[in-house]
Amino acid sequence: MYDLIIIGAGPAGIAAAEYAARHGFKTALIEKEALGGVCLNSGCIPTKTILNTTKLFSQFKKSAKFGIDCAQEPRIDLSRLGQRVKEVNTQLRAGLDFLVKANKIDFILARAVISAPGQVICAGKTLEAKYILVACGSRPIELPKIKFDGEKIISSAEALDIRDIPKKLLIIGGGVIGCEFAEIFLSLGSAVEIVELTPNLLPGIDKEAARRIESVFKKKGAKIHLNTDASTLNFADYDKVLLCVGRAPDSDCFLGLDIKKERNRILVNEYLQTSVPNIYAAGDCIGGYLLAHAASYEGRLSVKNMLIGNTQKADYKAVPSCIFTNPEIACVGLSEEDARKKEQEVIIKKFDFRALGMAYVFDETDGFVKIIADKEENILGAAIAGHKASELIHVLALAVNNGLKLSQVRDTIFAHPTVSEAIAETLLH
């Protein structure tokens, strides 16, 4: 008999299992594929490992500007890059394996189904628990007329297995995944086209930041088709078609148990509790942000509510979103567009990287910081496009989460010369 059985060992499941074990729960963690889930094995980590290489590659190509004389033109060894991805994944999985064992969590590699409110069937056995947490993640979405075939039309997972660089690549979907893969393949030398059904790349992200990356992609040679249905294009014109129009919740783990869903998304209340009182859900399977860090937060919060009796509500006012293109984009809180809809009067503070000393040191002057506040100067949100945006955004996430005012950030002393002083400079001008 367990206190908690968790189905899914991605960010939500692992965070929940560690938190539960540290607070005295006898815990079982069940995963059908690999410890770490999609994020570690075929998502965040391998993608960012490759993006780090392509960014280094871009820096090496302009090494002469930094006073470095390279005898030969730099090139990317795809075989060695693939090995690097495997090494990173192996090291991180080993760390997770140690965490699971150190916390005395029972890890079971098998497919699992919930047959009753306190029963889980896996590996031919029926396990019982006081609580169950569903953290099954998500899977890539296909379109009615465009299906994955693993050869011509591929998913993001298959795109990571780079053995041959396609001469012409069509990316269907200009969201976060599509833009990050556009960055990768543009750096590798592919002729890239992006087709997006909406009027902008990166729907839901600050429009000014999205336009900035659109401009950068065009300078790198990408063709971008906005307001365009992908089915109107001739796929025969491309070597590969990468379909990345989003991810659908994976919630097919209930066997004859009536649980409320909406379009396969598991419905939860503000405490992350499902329609069955002792079953909770967290991460991609409940929809929402579909971000690893949001999933980890939800995993811990769901267990906390099991422990303290549903007293802490999920709070999403300061969830940072990061896009690891070059330059990076990061946002938190309300966008300028949403703030103007919500508030009668807003304050917009903006600073361009072209006035930042450290941006010239790194030769990364393409970027800006934008901070949004209400008329009482309460910080509502921020958007950053530029070098290290994914790191800088956390200062402003802290500000949004704690209800800080513009003056409280402005009057903080930032070190010089740094990239982060762009945040202070935004509020001094």
Side-chain angles (χ1 to χ4, degrees):
M1 177 73 176
Y2 289 97
D3 294 302
L4 173 63
I5 294 175
I6 301 166
I7 302 176
I14 289 171
E18 182 185 17
Y19 189 89
R22 285 195 288 109
H23 286 80
F25 268 17
K26 184 181 179 183
T27 304
L29 178 63
I30 306 172
E31 169 58 47
K32 64 183 178 181
E33 293 181 355
L35 192 60
V38 169
C39 179
L40 173 57
N41 297 288
S42 59
C44 313
I45 298 301
T47 306
K48 276 54 179 182
T49 302
I50 295 171
L51 280 165
N52 181 61
T53 292
T54 59
K55 288 180 183 180
L56 284 171
F57 185 52
S58 298
Q59 288 291 92
F60 276 121
K61 286 198 291 187
K62 57 180 182 180
S63 60
K65 194 168 188 177
F66 294 92
I68 301 171
D69 184 11
C70 291
Q72 295 180 327
E73 279 290 311
R75 68 180 186 87
I76 292 180
D77 182 336
L78 293 182
S79 176
R80 184 66 191 93
L81 176 56
Q83 186 60 35
R84 168 68 178 158
V85 172
K86 290 179 182 177
E87 289 170 358
V88 170
N89 284 3
T90 298
Q91 289 169 344
L92 289 173
R93 271 197 302 271
L96 292 179
D97 185 60
F98 176 80
L99 181 148
V100 167
K101 289 176 180 175
N103 284 281
K104 298 180 180 178
I105 299 163
D106 289 345
F107 178 63
I108 303 168
L109 191 62
R111 185 176 295 274
V113 293
I114 303 170
S115 56
Q119 291 185 342
V120 174
I121 300 172
C122 77
K125 297 180 180 179
T126 299
L127 307 178
E128 295 188 349
K130 182 178 179 181
Y131 294 104
I132 296 171
L133 173 65
V134 181
C136 293
S138 61
R139 54 179 178 264
I141 293 174
E142 294 180 311
L143 295 175
K145 297 180 181 180
I146 306 174
K147 306 291 185 181
F148 299 119
D149 61 21
E151 293 293 333
K152 178 85 170 192
I153 302 174
I154 59 175
S155 69
S156 56
E158 292 156 336
L160 290 169
D161 187 16
I162 306 170
R163 298 180 185 182
D164 297 301
I165 301 170
K167 290 181 180 179
K168 290 192 69 177
L169 173 68
L170 175 65
I171 299 176
I172 302 175
V176 174
I177 297 172
C179 284
E180 290 189 346
F181 274 102
E183 179 69 44
I184 288 171
F185 284 101
L186 283 168
S187 298
L188 292 175
S190 296
V192 174
E193 292 187 33
I194 306 171
V195 58
E196 169 57 44
L197 193 59
T198 71
N200 303 288
L201 291 182
L202 299 171
I205 297 294
D206 180 89
K207 289 183 179 179
E208 189 173 3
R211 285 194 296 268
R212 180 66 62 100
I213 204 63
E214 180 182 342
S215 175
V216 169
F217 280 165
K218 287 179 178 178
K219 288 178 183 177
K220 293 179 180 180
K223 294 181 181 179
I224 299 173
H225 310 277
L226 301 175
N227 293 308
T228 302
D229 184 341
S231 63
T232 62
L233 301 179
N234 184 4
F235 292 176
D237 294 337
Y238 308 94
D239 299 299
K240 294 284 184 182
V241 177
L242 172 57
L243 178 60
C244 47
V245 292
R247 298 184 66 87
D250 193 349
S251 59
D252 301 329
C253 62
F254 298 95
L255 182 64
L257 185 64
D258 186 23
I259 195 159
K260 288 185 179 179
K261 298 183 188 179
E262 184 180 80
R263 295 181 180 177
N264 222 41
R265 177 174 66 91
I266 300 173
L267 295 179
V268 295
N269 62 19
E270 53 203 352
Y271 306 106
L272 303 174
Q273 184 183 41
T274 71
S275 57
V276 178
N278 71 322
I279 300 178
Y280 290 68
D284 288 9
C285 64
I286 67 171
Y289 281 90
L290 305 188
L291 296 168
H293 44 283
S296 296
Y297 163 76
E298 290 168 348
R300 287 187 292 268
L301 182 61
S302 61
V303 176
K304 189 172 185 179
N305 279 319
M306 295 173 198
L307 290 162
I308 62 178
N310 289 352
T311 57
Q312 187 167 331
K313 299 177 181 179
D315 183 357
Y316 299 105
K317 68 174 176 290
V319 180
S321 297
C322 303
I323 301 97
F324 292 84
T325 47
N326 190 14
E328 294 179 351
I329 294 174
C331 302
V332 71
L334 294 180
S335 66
E336 179 179 349
E337 296 79 23
D338 289 340
R340 292 191 184 281
K341 292 175 185 176
K342 184 178 180 181
E343 302 288 335
Q344 290 185 339
E345 183 180 335
V346 296
I347 299 170
I348 305 296
K349 295 286 188 177
K350 189 178 169 186
F351 179 77
D352 198 285
F353 274 29
R354 285 174 294 183
L356 182 67
M358 209 59 172
Y360 286 89
V361 172
F362 289 118
D363 192 38
E364 298 283 0
T365 57
D366 191 358
F368 65 86
V369 175
K370 181 197 291 185
I371 301 175
I372 303 112
D374 62 20
K375 62 182 180 180
E376 282 82 30
E377 298 199 349
N378 298 300
I379 298 176
L380 303 175
I384 304 174
H387 187 57
K388 296 295 181 184
S390 61
E391 301 292 339
L392 300 182
I393 199 65
H394 295 97
V395 174
L396 295 162
L398 186 68
V400 173
N401 195 51
N402 289 280
L404 300 188
K405 291 184 177 291
L406 295 176
S407 60
Q408 291 173 291
V409 177
R410 182 188 64 228
D411 295 341
T412 300
I413 299 172
F414 285 72
H416 172 79
T418 61
V419 179
S420 60
E421 69 178 319
I423 294 170
E425 292 291 335
T426 304
L427 301 177
L428 289 170
H429 292 82

